[in-house]
Amino acid sequence: MASPGIPIDAGSLMAVVLTGILYGFSLLMFMGTMWSLTYKQHVQNISRPIVIVAIMLFLLSTAHIVVCIIRADDALIKYRDTFPGGPGAFFADVTQETYVIKYALYVLQTLLADGVVIYRCYVVCQSVRAIILPSVLWCSVVVTGVHAVYGVSQSKSTTSIFAQELGTWVMAFLASTIVTNALSSGLLAYRIWTIERSVARTRAGRKGSTMPIVRVLVDAAVLYSVALLTALICFLFSNNGDYVMVDMVMPIISIAFYMVLIRIAINRNHEYLSTIRMITATEQGDLEQHPMKPLQVHISQFTRSDSTSAYGIETEHQPSGRSPPWASSKERRTSGLSVR
């Protein structure tokens, strides 16, 4: 029975093109992410786990686009005239090795991305209780994803991905992923927002520094959730558009992850520059409030003569006896020192 919507061969070809475009964007954002994480940073200050996750997401996305290109080449060129049913039947055949590998890569990248979001929640909330429910949901993603990939690998060539024995696990996987991502991202954004509110009054009218991060977190969660929800709706109606959306979700996961990291790096650099400007302005204000005044140092002038004593103090009686060495000539010494 033919599935509604676009033909499966046309949908698969469209998926390769759109996925390639999104992969190009994710490649550029990966380069920006690595630059933002390592630029002018000491080795000990670089977050190695985040760098490793970014590299793993990039490798999984690269492997996925390579598999998609290989599938398109096999269906449209290599086995176009020899495979029973033509390219459409090849794309729909769930027993193909490239088909299983593609969905295994998708499950791995989904687990990695959802795990990172849960880890962020733990770091920000500093509480294990805050991530209990997201962790349980993540475990459900693991179970449903592994079972779905295993079911695909054990299916017959005549089995459709929309068949009940496979469809149930695939729908459970997509639904679990949507709930896990939405809940974790919502908790993370709410926690950052509450922290921002609690410290806002100490900034003396300055704008919140973490609100841009909250907005990017929400945007990334909405982007990812909308793509997953569209894939789930297509799957519920057994529409071939599901092939397009599932392939597009792979680079979207990487893009959503990279955009948050880049926003955090931009915010960090902005805070650093703002701190430098604030310190400079404070120092200038102190100089204006307490300007440096000229410092003058005077050395008293003194006169020595036969009728006066030292330091210019006159005496009424000059002691008799031998005259001092300087009595024959008057010496006047005057010194002044001014430091400005």
Side-chain angles (χ1 to χ4, degrees):
M1 180 180 177
S3 300
I6 59 177
I8 189 171
D9 50 353
S12 299
L13 183 60
M14 183 187 300
V16 173
V17 174
L18 295 178
T19 303
I21 295 173
L22 292 176
Y23 174 77
F25 281 109
S26 68
L27 176 60
L28 293 176
M29 296 188 70
F30 169 74
M31 297 170 61
T33 299
M34 299 306 296
W35 177 84
S36 64
L37 290 175
T38 58
Y39 181 68
K40 290 185 178 180
Q41 297 290 326
H42 296 289
V43 177
Q44 60 271 19
N45 294 333
I46 298 176
S47 178
R48 292 182 179 85
I50 297 300
V51 172
I52 292 174
V53 171
I55 294 175
M56 290 180 64
L57 287 175
F58 170 72
L59 293 177
L60 289 173
S61 296
T62 303
H64 175 263
I65 189 64
V66 169
V67 172
C68 288
I69 294 174
I70 292 175
R71 279 179 54 79
D73 177 75
D74 289 344
L76 300 176
I77 300 176
K78 190 174 182 180
Y79 301 115
R80 179 183 59 183
D81 299 324
T82 58
F83 193 86
F90 182 90
F91 283 121
D93 187 5
V94 296
T95 61
Q96 291 294 323
E97 183 178 355
T98 53
Y99 191 97
V100 178
I101 293 175
K102 185 179 71 169
Y103 273 91
L105 292 172
Y106 170 58
V107 171
L108 288 176
Q109 185 155 355
T110 299
L111 294 176
L112 181 61
D114 290 346
V116 170
V117 176
I118 295 174
Y119 172 74
R120 286 175 180 166
C121 287
Y122 172 74
V123 171
V124 174
C125 298
Q126 291 295 313
S127 174
V128 177
R129 293 183 297 177
I131 63 171
I132 291 178
L133 184 57
S135 299
V136 172
L137 291 172
W138 185 82
C139 292
S140 69
V141 175
V142 174
V143 173
T144 55
V146 170
H147 198 285
V149 173
Y150 177 78
V152 168
S153 64
Q154 300 300 316
S155 300
K156 299 178 181 180
S157 59
T158 56
T159 304
S160 171
I161 189 64
F162 302 112
Q164 184 176 1
E165 58 272 16
L166 292 179
T168 302
W169 291 103
V170 173
M171 286 188 293
F173 170 76
L174 293 174
S176 300
T177 304
I178 293 173
V179 176
T180 303
N181 178 74
L183 180 61
S184 302
S185 300
L187 287 174
L188 182 59
Y190 175 76
R191 178 56 179 168
I192 296 177
W193 178 71
T194 55
I195 294 174
E196 176 68 24
R197 286 190 58 188
S198 64
V199 301
R201 62 175 58 92
T202 64
R203 290 201 177 98
R206 290 173 56 198
K207 293 183 179 181
S209 60
T210 58
M211 290 309 296
I213 298 178
V214 174
R215 288 193 289 268
V216 171
L217 284 171
V218 173
D219 292 342
V222 170
L223 174 65
Y224 184 34
S225 299
V226 168
L228 288 175
L229 187 60
T230 305
L232 179 60
I233 292 174
C234 292
F235 197 90
L236 287 174
F237 289 96
S238 299
N239 193 294
N240 289 328
D242 177 73
Y243 291 93
V244 180
M245 293 308 304
V246 169
D247 285 343
M248 290 176 58
V249 166
M250 288 286 291
I252 288 176
I253 292 175
S254 300
I255 290 173
F257 180 80
Y258 298 148
M259 63 190 290
V260 174
L261 290 182
I262 292 175
R263 177 67 259 187
I264 292 175
I266 293 174
N267 192 74
R268 179 187 59 202
N269 295 333
H270 176 73
E271 283 296 307
Y272 174 77
L273 295 176
S274 299
T275 303
I276 297 299
R277 295 192 189 102
M278 183 179 65
I279 294 174
T280 304
T282 303
E283 292 177 349
Q284 292 178 353
D286 290 341
L287 292 177
E288 293 176 359
Q289 185 176 2
H290 306 287
M292 295 182 64
K293 297 179 180 180
L295 176 64
Q296 296 181 351
V297 179
H298 298 282
I299 299 177
S300 302
Q301 63 181 5
F302 55 90
T303 304
R304 298 179 188 274
S305 63
D306 357 355
S307 61
T308 59
S309 65
Y311 304 104
I313 302 176
E314 295 182 356
T315 59
E316 294 179 358
H317 304 281
Q318 180 71 23
S320 59
R322 189 176 178 178
S323 300
W326 56 80
S328 59
S329 62
K330 184 188 301 182
E331 179 182 5
R332 179 185 180 87
R333 297 180 181 179
T334 305
S335 299
L337 176 62
S338 178
V339 180
R340 295 179 180 274

